[in-house]
Amino acid sequence: MDEFDLQVRYHIYDSCMERGQPPLIDELSAILNVSKEQIGDALANLAEARILVLQKDSGEILIANPFSAVPTSFLVETQKFSCYGNCIWDSLGLAAMLHQDVRIRTSCADCGRALELEIIQKTVQAHEALIHFAIPARHWWDDIVFT
Amino acid sequence: MLLFRSEEHIKNWCRQWKFEPGAILNLDTAWRLAHAWYVEDRREHSWRRKTLEEIEALFAELGLVSTFWNLR
């Protein structure tokens, strides 16, 4: 990654932190006053460095961990905005990255019953739910979207 | 990584989707892992991904020491 890639990374995460979702290529192009192609190249570099995951056809950002650019089964509500985590771990990670109390609305992956977690003052409020990691750690990035 | 109501529901899911049971974390451990992983501000110029050694140390600190958590 070069300095320009780091500038792009800054604006991606600034958008995430301020409004809960990554920016589009058009938005980054306007913010940095460069071509869409230059943004596309930077996104590719960031994806290569495993900072991002891109949408296959459009090249737009799909994932800027822990944020998802598209709706998922993990809705995370903060005082400022609602956003989506990529999985339950990332949803907890949103509370950590945003330094805010959050409510996570999701469901049991087996039976579908609604589950709601709250992280208040850096503590998960008592809940009996469990997290299952299906993919061994060394294989997480074999297919990160599935993981 | 998915959330389940109980171990019974994890077993049902593994059976249905033909997965070997993986690793189960309670929410407290998962929160500590997520917090350590994501607490840094990724806008910072100096931010970088954790190294393999840093991740291994984090897993060890949280007691995640089974072969499931091996990175090499």
Side-chain angles (χ1 to χ4, degrees):
Chain A
M1 288 187 292
D2 62 19
E3 278 301 314
F4 181 68
D5 297 335
L6 294 179
Q7 275 185 48
V8 173
R9 188 185 75 186
Y10 172 89
H11 287 289
I12 290 167
Y13 276 100
D14 195 52
S15 170
C16 290
M17 300 292 277
E18 293 301 321
R19 63 179 190 172
Q21 67 179 97
L24 298 170
I25 291 172
D26 276 351
E27 293 172 307
L28 288 167
S29 173
I31 291 168
L32 288 160
N33 196 28
V34 297
S35 71
K36 294 177 193 174
E37 288 70 27
Q38 286 173 283
I39 296 297
D41 289 346
L43 296 185
N45 291 340
L46 291 165
E48 178 69 24
R50 296 183 171 179
I51 310 297
L52 304 173
V53 179
L54 305 181
Q55 298 179 35
K56 284 182 181 170
D57 294 334
S58 66
E60 297 283 359
I61 298 168
L62 176 65
I63 293 171
N65 296 97
F67 295 86
S68 172
V70 299
T72 69
S73 301
F74 302 92
L75 177 65
V76 179
E77 298 173 339
T78 75
Q79 288 186 337
K80 199 169 172 182
F81 49 69
S82 293
C83 56
Y84 290 99
N86 300 292
C87 63
I88 186 61
W89 179 17
D90 279 2
S91 302
L92 294 170
L94 283 164
M97 185 177 278
L98 293 165
H99 299 278
Q100 289 185 41
D101 296 345
V102 308
R103 177 182 288 114
I104 301 169
R105 295 183 189 273
T106 183
S107 59
C108 173
D110 174 44
C111 71
R113 179 182 287 188
L115 295 174
E116 191 174 301
L117 305 180
E118 284 187 301
I119 296 93
I120 299 175
Q121 293 185 345
K122 298 184 180 180
T123 304
V124 185
Q125 300 306 290
H127 204 297
E128 292 180 352
L130 296 168
I131 294 180
H132 181 243
F133 288 66
I135 309 296
R138 66 180 168 278
H139 293 303
W140 286 348
W141 277 89
D142 293 355
D143 183 348
I144 192 62
V145 175
F146 180 77
T147 298
Chain B
M1 296 77 170
L2 299 170
L3 190 65
F4 295 85
R5 289 167 59 194
S6 67
E7 284 200 44
E8 193 58 37
H9 285 269
I10 292 174
K11 287 177 188 168
N12 289 342
W13 184 89
C14 288
R15 265 197 303 272
Q16 182 179 357
W17 296 100
K18 298 181 171 51
F19 268 92
E20 292 294 318
I24 299 173
L25 267 60
N26 63 32
L27 284 170
D28 181 56
T29 304
W31 163 247
R32 289 193 288 147
L33 178 61
H35 188 272
W37 202 273
Y38 283 122
V39 72
E40 294 163 347
D41 190 335
R42 297 189 177 197
R43 291 174 293 193
E44 293 291 334
H45 190 273
S46 60
W47 180 82
R48 56 166 179 73
R49 296 180 76 230
K50 292 186 189 310
T51 64
L52 203 62
E53 289 75 18
E54 288 168 339
I55 297 171
E56 287 174 336
L58 173 60
F59 287 170
E61 182 185 330
L62 296 175
L64 307 176
V65 293
S66 70
T67 55
F68 184 91
W69 299 99
N70 283 354
L71 293 168
R72 299 173 195 262

XYZ file of all heavy atoms in Angstrom, chain B residues 24-65:
362
model
N -16.924 -22.932 20.170
C -18.051 -22.218 20.778
C -17.502 -21.224 21.803
O -16.703 -21.596 22.671
C -19.018 -23.202 21.466
C -19.598 -24.175 20.432
C -20.130 -22.440 22.190
C -20.431 -25.294 21.036
N -17.930 -19.978 21.686
C -17.508 -18.940 22.637
C -18.724 -18.363 23.335
O -19.773 -18.154 22.697
C -16.789 -17.799 21.904
C -15.256 -17.862 21.794
C -14.823 -19.109 21.057
C -14.740 -16.614 21.098
N -18.585 -18.109 24.632
C -19.648 -17.347 25.285
C -19.494 -15.873 24.902
O -18.488 -15.470 24.307
C -19.650 -17.568 26.811
C -18.368 -17.076 27.453
O -17.757 -16.110 26.997
N -17.946 -17.737 28.512
N -20.479 -15.086 25.238
C -20.474 -13.700 24.767
C -19.386 -12.866 25.421
O -18.856 -11.940 24.803
C -21.848 -13.065 24.999
C -22.899 -13.528 23.989
C -24.280 -13.060 24.415
C -22.578 -13.007 22.594
N -19.034 -13.206 26.650
C -18.002 -12.430 27.318
C -16.655 -12.598 26.606
O -15.958 -11.622 26.316
C -17.893 -12.849 28.788
C -16.849 -12.035 29.522
O -16.964 -10.801 29.519
O -15.904 -12.634 30.070
N -16.301 -13.847 26.306
C -15.036 -14.100 25.602
C -15.076 -13.508 24.198
O -14.103 -12.905 23.736
C -14.755 -15.611 25.536
O -14.750 -16.145 26.857
C -13.430 -15.901 24.864
N -16.209 -13.682 23.524
C -16.333 -13.145 22.163
C -16.198 -11.623 22.163
O -15.587 -11.038 21.268
C -17.676 -13.553 21.567
N -16.760 -10.982 23.183
C -16.649 -9.521 23.274
C -15.197 -9.116 23.486
O -14.708 -8.179 22.848
C -17.527 -9.002 24.413
C -17.179 -7.602 24.832
C -16.653 -7.207 26.019
C -17.307 -6.406 24.044
N -16.447 -5.850 26.028
C -16.841 -5.334 24.827
C -17.770 -6.149 22.751
C -16.813 -4.017 24.366
C -17.744 -4.833 22.280
C -17.276 -3.788 23.085
N -14.487 -9.828 24.352
C -13.085 -9.472 24.595
C -12.252 -9.658 23.324
O -11.363 -8.860 23.014
C -12.523 -10.288 25.763
C -13.117 -9.832 27.113
C -12.348 -10.403 28.280
N -12.586 -11.828 28.428
C -11.677 -12.690 28.877
N -10.484 -12.267 29.215
N -11.971 -13.964 28.977
N -12.564 -10.724 22.574
C -11.860 -10.958 21.306
C -12.190 -9.845 20.305
O -11.292 -9.263 19.679
C -12.276 -12.326 20.743
C -11.685 -12.725 19.395
C -10.161 -12.802 19.455
C -12.259 -14.082 18.951
N -13.464 -9.537 20.168
C -13.884 -8.501 19.206
C -13.319 -7.134 19.605
O -12.900 -6.354 18.746
C -15.408 -8.445 19.129
N -13.313 -6.851 20.891
C -12.811 -5.555 21.358
C -11.328 -5.403 21.015
O -10.906 -4.387 20.455
C -13.047 -5.404 22.859
C -12.742 -4.037 23.385
N -11.485 -3.675 23.811
C -13.514 -2.936 23.504
C -11.511 -2.406 24.184
N -12.723 -1.935 24.012
N -10.555 -6.430 21.331
C -9.114 -6.365 21.047
C -8.863 -6.256 19.542
O -7.937 -5.574 19.095
C -8.427 -7.609 21.609
N -9.713 -6.905 18.761
C -9.517 -6.956 17.306
C -9.846 -5.624 16.650
O -9.215 -5.214 15.671
C -10.418 -8.056 16.726
C -9.996 -8.579 15.396
C -10.329 -8.078 14.174
C -9.156 -9.717 15.152
N -9.764 -8.837 13.183
C -9.048 -9.864 13.749
C -8.523 -10.651 15.977
C -8.305 -10.880 13.153
C -7.788 -11.663 15.380
C -7.688 -11.761 13.995
N -10.877 -4.954 17.173
C -11.445 -3.813 16.443
C -11.366 -2.469 17.157
O -11.856 -1.473 16.629
C -12.915 -4.105 16.130
C -13.103 -5.060 14.982
C -13.807 -6.255 15.144
C -12.601 -4.763 13.717
C -14.010 -7.121 14.083
C -12.797 -5.620 12.652
C -13.501 -6.798 12.832
O -13.694 -7.649 11.782
N -10.794 -2.404 18.335
C -10.871 -1.154 19.104
C -10.062 -0.016 18.480
O -10.370 1.155 18.688
C -10.447 -1.394 20.570
C -8.943 -1.621 20.685
C -10.905 -0.231 21.448
N -9.052 -0.351 17.694
C -8.200 0.711 17.133
C -8.919 1.478 16.024
O -9.780 0.938 15.342
C -6.908 0.096 16.587
C -6.042 -0.498 17.690
C -4.989 -1.444 17.148
O -5.082 -1.839 15.971
O -4.091 -1.799 17.918
N -8.527 2.726 15.848
C -9.118 3.588 14.828
C -8.393 3.353 13.498
O -7.221 3.713 13.351
C -8.988 5.055 15.251
C -9.796 5.978 14.343
O -10.057 5.612 13.182
O -10.156 7.075 14.810
N -9.093 2.767 12.559
C -8.460 2.410 11.283
C -8.254 3.607 10.368
O -7.702 3.471 9.277
C -9.264 1.301 10.592
C -9.282 0.033 11.425
C -9.871 -1.160 10.718
N -9.764 -2.342 11.592
C -9.877 -3.581 11.180
N -10.098 -3.840 9.911
N -9.762 -4.595 12.029
N -8.709 4.785 10.807
C -8.385 6.002 10.047
C -6.945 6.429 10.302
O -6.367 7.148 9.492
C -9.324 7.144 10.463
C -10.754 6.937 10.019
C -11.668 8.004 10.584
N -11.797 7.900 12.038
C -12.708 8.539 12.750
N -13.564 9.341 12.140
N -12.764 8.397 14.049
N -6.394 5.992 11.423
C -5.042 6.416 11.795
C -4.022 5.936 10.770
O -4.055 4.771 10.344
C -4.663 5.849 13.169
C -5.479 6.416 14.317
C -5.159 7.882 14.580
O -4.029 8.310 14.260
O -6.041 8.595 15.088
N -3.125 6.825 10.415
C -2.099 6.495 9.426
C -1.273 5.292 9.882
O -0.853 4.453 9.080
C -1.200 7.715 9.221
C -0.259 7.589 8.075
N 0.982 7.011 8.198
C -0.386 7.951 6.774
C 1.577 7.028 7.022
N 0.784 7.587 6.147
N -1.033 5.186 11.175
C -0.160 4.137 11.705
C -0.870 2.790 11.879
O -0.224 1.788 12.180
C 0.405 4.570 13.059
O -0.663 4.795 13.965
N -2.205 2.772 11.674
C -2.903 1.507 11.895
C -2.458 0.447 10.877
O -2.260 0.744 9.702
C -4.427 1.662 11.808
C -5.085 0.330 12.050
C -5.340 -0.255 13.256
C -5.519 -0.608 11.045
N -5.904 -1.501 13.065
C -6.019 -1.749 11.723
C -5.514 -0.604 9.642
C -6.526 -2.864 11.051
C -6.012 -1.723 8.969
C -6.515 -2.832 9.666
N -2.298 -0.764 11.356
C -1.996 -1.889 10.472
C -2.663 -3.134 11.048
O -3.036 -3.155 12.220
C -0.480 -2.109 10.376
C 0.157 -2.304 11.743
C 1.560 -2.836 11.679
N 2.119 -2.970 13.010
C 1.783 -3.903 13.895
N 0.853 -4.802 13.590
N 2.341 -3.955 15.085
N -2.821 -4.127 10.195
C -3.411 -5.379 10.674
C -2.482 -6.026 11.693
O -1.265 -5.825 11.657
C -3.639 -6.340 9.507
C -4.650 -5.824 8.504
C -4.837 -6.800 7.372
N -5.658 -7.927 7.788
C -5.327 -9.213 7.603
N -4.204 -9.531 7.024
N -6.131 -10.169 7.994
N -3.070 -6.803 12.574
C -2.247 -7.493 13.568
C -1.365 -8.532 12.866
O -1.777 -9.133 11.873
C -3.140 -8.204 14.594
C -3.924 -7.256 15.484
C -4.662 -8.021 16.560
C -5.614 -7.123 17.327
N -5.029 -5.877 17.811
N -0.186 -8.725 13.409
C 0.685 -9.762 12.865
C 0.214 -11.128 13.369
O -0.556 -11.227 14.331
C 2.136 -9.556 13.326
O 2.175 -9.713 14.758
C 2.653 -8.176 12.939
N 0.716 -12.150 12.714
C 0.395 -13.522 13.130
C 0.742 -13.721 14.607
O -0.050 -14.296 15.375
C 1.205 -14.485 12.263
C 0.702 -15.908 12.109
C -0.660 -15.929 11.441
C 1.698 -16.724 11.294
N 1.892 -13.213 14.991
C 2.343 -13.385 16.382
C 1.418 -12.651 17.348
O 1.123 -13.149 18.440
C 3.780 -12.872 16.535
C 4.844 -13.729 15.862
C 4.863 -13.568 14.339
O 4.308 -12.562 13.836
O 5.405 -14.457 13.656
N 0.956 -11.474 16.959
C 0.035 -10.716 17.827
C -1.305 -11.439 17.961
O -1.905 -11.455 19.044
C -0.172 -9.309 17.266
C 1.046 -8.408 17.424
C 0.943 -7.129 16.624
O 0.159 -7.066 15.644
O 1.659 -6.171 16.966
N -1.763 -12.010 16.877
C -3.045 -12.733 16.931
C -2.900 -13.982 17.803
O -3.768 -14.283 18.631
C -3.520 -13.113 15.512
C -3.782 -11.851 14.683
C -4.780 -13.956 15.593
C -4.034 -12.126 13.212
N -1.793 -14.679 17.635
C -1.561 -15.875 18.457
C -1.517 -15.507 19.938
O -2.064 -16.220 20.787
C -0.259 -16.558 18.030
C -0.392 -17.270 16.701
C 0.926 -17.833 16.177
O 1.998 -17.331 16.568
O 0.867 -18.771 15.373
N -0.882 -14.390 20.255
C -0.797 -13.959 21.652
C -2.188 -13.613 22.190
O -2.524 -13.923 23.339
C 0.136 -12.760 21.771
N -3.000 -12.980 21.345
C -4.361 -12.623 21.757
C -5.185 -13.885 22.016
O -5.881 -13.997 23.036
C -5.024 -11.758 20.679
C -6.497 -11.425 20.875
C -6.722 -10.651 22.181
C -7.030 -10.619 19.686
N -5.125 -14.825 21.094
C -5.855 -16.079 21.281
C -5.426 -16.745 22.589
O -6.265 -17.222 23.365
C -5.594 -17.034 20.109
C -6.287 -16.657 18.814
C -5.974 -17.327 17.633
C -7.248 -15.659 18.767
C -6.607 -17.001 16.437
C -7.882 -15.321 17.574
C -7.556 -16.000 16.412
N -4.119 -16.791 22.823
C -3.607 -17.445 24.042
C -4.115 -16.737 25.290
O -4.522 -17.381 26.268
C -2.079 -17.458 24.019
N -4.122 -15.402 25.243
C -4.579 -14.618 26.402
C -6.038 -14.936 26.729
O -6.447 -14.927 27.896
C -4.427 -13.132 26.065
C -4.800 -12.180 27.179
C -4.734 -10.725 26.695
O -3.917 -10.427 25.794
O -5.513 -9.915 27.204
N -6.820 -15.236 25.700
C -8.242 -15.522 25.902
C -8.508 -17.007 26.100
O -9.663 -17.433 26.176
C -9.046 -14.997 24.705
C -9.008 -13.479 24.516
C -9.724 -13.073 23.237
C -9.637 -12.785 25.716
N -7.445 -17.800 26.145
C -7.607 -19.241 26.355
C -8.026 -19.996 25.115
O -8.503 -21.133 25.197
N -7.851 -19.385 23.957
C -8.237 -20.044 22.699
C -7.008 -20.775 22.173
O -6.278 -20.282 21.314
C -8.738 -18.990 21.705
C -9.848 -18.076 22.249
C -10.215 -16.996 21.231
C -11.079 -18.879 22.645
N -6.796 -21.964 22.714
C -5.530 -22.650 22.480
C -5.689 -24.014 21.801
O -4.715 -24.720 21.607
C -4.757 -22.823 23.811
C -4.317 -21.461 24.348
C -5.598 -23.545 24.857
